[in-house]
Amino acid sequence: MIKPYSSTIRRLTAAFSCIMLFCVMTTGVKASPGSIDANPYKAFHDTYDESDPDQKFLDALALKFYNVELDIMVDTDHSTYSGAQYPDYLQGQVKLYVKHDAASWPNTRHLYQYFEDVAEQVARNRGSVHGDGKSIIINLDMKTANRPDYSEVSSSLQAIFEHYGDMLSYSLLEDHQSFNEGVITVCLSGAEELKNTYYDHIASSTKKLYAFRDKVYSVTDSRFSNVADYFPKEADNYHRFYAVHWKHIESGFDLLMPGNWSHEEEKRLEEMMALASQKGYTLRFYSLNGNEGAWHYKFPNGDGEAAQRWTQFAYANDKLGTRHFVSTDSYLAMTRLYDHFLVPLRDYNHRVEKTGGTQNGQDASVSITDDGRVIEIHKAEGVFNHNLWYSVGSIQPDGYIRWTTNERINPGGSNKNGIQPHSDVTKINNQYVVLQVNQTDGSGSGLWANIGRLEPNNTVTWMTNEKIAIGGQHTEGEWPHIALDGNKVILSYSKGGKLFYHTGLLHPAEYRIEWMTQGTINDQNGERPDVDLRNGNIIVVYTSGGKLRYTTGNWAGSGQVTWSVSGSMQDQSGRTPTVVFLGDDKLIELHTSENTGLIWYNIGELQWPNIHWIHNNIWDSGTSSNPSVDYSADSNVLIDIHKAAANDALWYNTGRIND
């Protein structure tokens, strides 16, 4: 476990160069990444609880936190250890208590007892705290209550450190490049006087550092626009850590108004993490709380909003090959997320573009081909403009979509109008076929379908414009949504408050749909259904009475659907849900919050025909409406397109699924 400092710097410098090279690549589709183990990035902000001084620290050890904080202080008399009840190595040393809130007589557990807890776990786990060979960091936050004598504190700390020296990281003062990593790395935080006094204590005695210092960028420190200004020097054999308030990444967090987690803020986070590692520092960002913890560190939307940042933080570490830490008091929520890290990971957040500018519209839908192309269809912006448009783009390695086509849907050369459009794409006999459905913009509520061929030059040749009809009866309804699997077609829609479906077969050579069966979706009431179909499994999501619901079914050989289970998504509320299968054993559902307009997601693990729902977290923290989602299992690419809530601007997110 010994890692010389100089070789670490060389590896990180090389990794940083590779990352910068990767970021400027502009062609092709990303390969699927390996699964991310997020637990090594977990930091427990404050492991002391006034009501139970032991439990939180023991929880941190049991729940695999790799970075913990202990607040330490002296009593008002600067009492010393004396008597058989205390370890021999501490006799005559000043007492160090673990306590968060100031008190003249803390009367809590002593710091050395926490080191005993860690040593016992190391012994049980055969040489490391969590049994995986990875080191953990213990931050000692020195409180200034009771006017400590920092020389006494330094001597007492060093007595503990030397007693556990075989487990601790250390550095030699004579060798400015030395850093030897042990099972535990101690970081001195809090009072600057302690950091300076401890260094002087070692310099005048053993010249062997068993603890290292941090620098804190707090809520009161200015936010630098240039990330490089945070790290003016390279790390040395003592200063190796930074504790950074999250406002230095996300403007507004200090005012409890973080707003949208933007692509620019994500790039700022990655730049800060990469540069810190290149210079030899480890960062601890504090304190990203959800439902638990101090109010002035909380995200307004609780665990679901904090989880978005926790997720992207772990993803950034994984992409960069770094190991920085994200700190929270919502430690159970973070553990639930990181222990079962089946989540969407965002790569890019941007406006849908067209030649000369950006794209506006309403009711956009998105589909992905297996060669990395994206088809987007929408109604033109405005209440009275019912023109139907499509765009085609290509996914770049960084997740950016290069949009190359923006044209009217024009079967037979006649421009198409309609409302509530939706689409999907399928590949049959090496030909990409696009199917678009919509409600008429004329009298009545008739449903129509357009079939087109996606060309190699990223245009669509629209071949047909036909009424959706079975037995000669034109189908009427609202919110038509379509899903394709090979040549199988399923249409969902609502009418009079009930949910209905059609099934059919797509004949690509004739550009024709053979509609086969129709019926209710398990006799369900609801609005705004969305549907997906994969290997005969069917999932429909919708709202009923403001609640999110789902129904599962199976495609029979004749096109009949056997509906199985209808249920709620953990009694959640929401609007305009959208769904897509993530391979054969899971799915993702997105919807907008009925209160805030933020886009949330649920992951569904298939226990067919039942679904086990997990991870109800924010996907996009900008106010939005009507998301549409698609996923390519071949390249592990996830895309959603949605309209902004305040206007008709179209936005997209690209990402992938960590499994």
Side-chain angles (χ1 to χ4, degrees):
M1 294 186 62
I2 304 301
K3 297 180 181 178
Y5 166 75
S6 56
S7 64
T8 301
I9 287 294
R10 287 195 297 270
R11 287 197 304 273
L12 287 167
T13 301
F16 183 73
S17 301
C18 292
I19 291 157
M20 295 300 103
L21 177 62
F22 175 81
C23 289
V24 299
M25 295 172 64
T26 57
T27 58
V29 179
K30 289 183 177 181
S32 174
S35 181
I36 298 172
D37 178 11
N39 275 307
Y41 313 135
K42 293 193 308 186
F44 203 132
H45 176 235
D46 183 5
T47 54
Y48 180 81
D49 188 335
E50 296 289 340
S51 63
D52 191 343
D54 299 342
Q55 191 56 51
K56 280 193 174 181
F57 186 75
L58 296 177
D59 284 347
L61 296 183
L63 296 175
K64 278 198 162 184
F65 277 80
Y66 289 81
N67 190 307
V68 298
E69 180 182 89
L70 294 171
D71 297 336
I72 60 174
M73 65 176 62
V74 297
D75 60 42
T76 192
D77 284 349
H78 300 183
S79 303
T80 59
Y81 293 108
S82 177
Q85 69 270 37
Y86 300 116
D88 290 344
Y89 67 88
L90 282 177
Q91 296 296 313
Q93 301 287 353
V94 69
K95 290 181 178 179
L96 297 178
Y97 304 88
V98 172
K99 193 177 190 306
H100 180 70
D101 297 329
S104 297
W105 296 96
N107 293 323
T108 58
R109 291 185 84 210
H110 299 270
L111 177 62
Y112 76 85
Q113 293 173 302
Y114 289 82
F115 276 81
E116 289 175 347
D117 291 339
V118 177
E120 289 174 6
Q121 184 154 320
V122 170
R124 288 195 305 270
N125 289 333
R126 293 176 295 182
S128 64
V129 175
H130 298 309
D132 55 7
K134 292 184 173 69
S135 66
I136 75 163
I137 296 170
I138 298 179
N139 300 278
L140 301 181
D141 187 350
M142 184 70 211
K143 300 303 181 183
T144 59
N146 303 322
R147 304 179 65 182
D149 181 317
Y150 293 108
S151 294
E152 293 178 349
V153 173
S154 297
S155 177
S156 189
L157 284 174
Q158 188 65 3
I160 297 173
F161 298 158
E162 288 179 351
H163 183 75
Y164 292 102
D166 290 344
M167 293 194 304
L168 300 187
S169 302
Y170 69 89
S171 179
L172 303 176
L173 288 187
E174 291 89 348
D175 183 356
H176 292 288
Q177 296 297 311
S178 70
F179 174 71
N180 297 276
E181 188 177 70
V183 175
I184 303 164
T185 301
V186 177
C187 173
L188 300 181
S189 191
E192 288 293 313
E193 294 91 335
L194 173 63
K195 302 171 190 177
N196 297 331
T197 304
Y198 175 76
Y199 184 88
D200 293 341
H201 177 80
I202 298 303
S204 63
S205 56
T206 65
K207 295 182 171 51
K208 186 175 183 178
L209 292 162
Y210 280 117
F212 308 88
R213 65 159 295 161
D214 69 5
K215 176 178 173 59
V216 178
Y217 286 115
S218 72
V219 66
T220 60
D221 290 316
S222 298
R223 186 176 188 269
F224 298 131
S225 57
N226 184 3
V227 167
D229 291 339
Y230 285 95
F231 315 111
K233 299 178 181 179
E234 290 194 353
D236 56 38
N237 57 354
Y238 186 44
H239 180 200
R240 305 189 55 79
F241 297 93
Y242 278 92
V244 184
H245 189 280
W246 190 246
K247 84 154 196 182
H248 296 279
I249 296 297
E250 189 168 5
S251 179
F253 180 69
D254 52 325
L255 303 175
L256 304 184
M257 295 186 295
N260 181 35
W261 175 242
S262 69
H263 185 71
E264 290 71 26
E265 287 166 330
E266 197 154 320
K267 293 297 109 179
R268 179 179 174 88
L269 172 64
E270 291 180 7
E271 183 182 357
M272 185 177 288
M273 292 167 73
L275 186 58
S277 291
Q278 186 188 25
K279 292 202 168 188
Y281 294 109
T282 297
L283 305 180
R284 174 172 59 107
F285 290 95
Y286 71 96
S287 174
L288 282 69
N289 291 340
N291 296 342
E292 307 297 329
W295 66 269
H296 51 282
Y297 290 137
K298 282 186 177 180
F299 282 95
N301 292 286
D303 290 344
E305 191 167 16
Q308 182 193 35
R309 277 65 167 188
W310 300 339
T311 295
Q312 292 304 122
F313 185 91
Y315 189 26
N317 257 327
D318 185 72
K319 285 192 291 185
L320 297 169
T322 56
R323 191 184 175 204
H324 301 293
F325 297 89
V326 58
S327 170
T328 188
D329 291 307
S330 302
Y331 66 101
L332 292 177
M334 178 182 277
T335 298
R336 283 192 298 270
L337 178 73
Y338 279 4
D339 275 358
H340 195 177
F341 204 46
L342 173 55
V343 292
L345 307 168
R346 194 178 78 176
D347 286 314
Y348 223 93
N349 169 249
H350 205 271
R351 287 285 304 274
V352 178
E353 297 172 311
K354 61 181 180 180
T355 302
T358 53
Q359 185 71 263
N360 289 351
Q362 297 177 356
D363 297 336
S365 65
V366 65
S367 305
I368 311 172
T369 64
D370 62 4
D371 63 352
R373 289 186 287 175
V374 181
I375 302 98
E376 174 272 325
I377 286 176
H378 66 271
K379 186 190 84 67
E381 61 185 312
V383 176
F384 302 108
N385 188 344
H386 297 161
N387 298 342
L388 297 184
W389 291 77
Y390 78 93
S391 302
V392 181
S394 298
I395 308 166
Q396 306 303 298
D398 61 355
Y400 172 74
I401 299 177
R402 180 179 294 160
W403 299 97
T404 55
T405 307
N406 174 238
E407 296 181 354
R408 290 287 301 275
I409 296 176
N410 59 345
S414 177
N415 287 336
K416 171 80 175 182
N417 287 351
I419 61 174
Q420 299 174 358
H422 192 262
S423 63
D424 201 0
V425 65
T426 188
K427 186 178 183 181
I428 305 175
N429 299 328
N430 293 318
Q431 176 177 287
Y432 295 102
V433 180
V434 182
L435 175 58
Q436 181 270 324
V437 296
N438 61 272
Q439 182 184 338
T440 181
D441 64 337
S443 61
S445 56
L447 303 184
W448 291 74
N450 297 105
I451 304 174
R453 182 177 65 240
L454 177 61
E455 307 290 4
N457 66 353
N458 284 357
T459 61
V460 177
T461 302
W462 296 99
M463 309 298 290
T464 61
N465 177 39
E466 62 182 37
K467 294 179 179 179
I468 297 175
I470 292 183
Q473 182 68 38
H474 189 185
T475 300
E476 294 191 348
E478 298 178 342
W479 208 249
H481 276 214
I482 202 82
L484 303 174
D485 188 17
N487 70 332
K488 295 177 180 176
V489 182
I490 185 164
L491 168 75
S492 66
Y493 62 97
S494 63
K495 182 179 180 181
K498 290 195 74 69
L499 302 181
F500 295 87
Y501 77 95
H502 287 359
T503 62
L505 295 177
L506 178 63
H507 297 280
E510 306 165 33
Y511 296 99
R512 177 177 64 87
I513 302 171
E514 176 190 353
W515 294 107
M516 301 166 64
T517 63
Q518 61 181 323
T520 69
I521 298 176
N522 213 25
D523 200 31
Q524 293 294 297
N525 296 323
E527 306 84 31
R528 300 208 162 191
D530 189 33
V531 62
D532 199 25
L533 168 65
R534 181 179 175 86
N535 294 336
N537 290 339
I538 300 168
I539 174 72
V540 182
V541 295
Y542 50 96
T543 61
S544 181
K547 297 292 187 178
L548 297 171
R549 293 185 60 81
Y550 71 96
T551 294
T552 60
N554 290 92
W555 177 292
S558 61
Q560 295 286 340
V561 175
T562 302
W563 297 108
S564 300
V565 173
S566 295
S568 73
M569 296 182 202
Q570 301 173 327
D571 202 38
Q572 296 171 29
S573 299
R575 296 173 179 162
T576 57
T578 179
V579 69
V580 67
F581 283 106
L582 305 173
D584 296 327
D585 58 355
K586 52 191 172 292
L587 55 82
I588 187 170
E589 177 271 338
L590 306 181
H591 62 272
T592 51
S593 166
E594 75 283 7
N595 296 318
T596 64
L598 309 187
I599 298 178
W600 291 67
Y601 73 87
N602 288 286
I603 295 291
E605 296 180 311
L606 305 191
Q607 300 167 355
W608 203 258
N610 298 297
I611 298 175
H612 174 57
W613 296 101
I614 61 171
H615 295 333
N616 174 226
N617 297 321
I618 286 177
W619 167 242
D620 189 307
S621 50
T623 55
S624 311
S625 67
N626 297 356
S628 173
V629 66
D630 201 14
Y631 177 74
S632 170
D634 296 317
S635 54
N636 190 14
V637 171
L638 180 82
I639 299 178
D640 95 89
I641 286 184
H642 56 271
K643 187 184 82 68
N647 52 50
D648 287 334
L650 294 181
W651 288 78
Y652 69 87
N653 293 292
T654 62
R656 57 191 63 190
I657 297 296
N658 186 67
D659 186 0

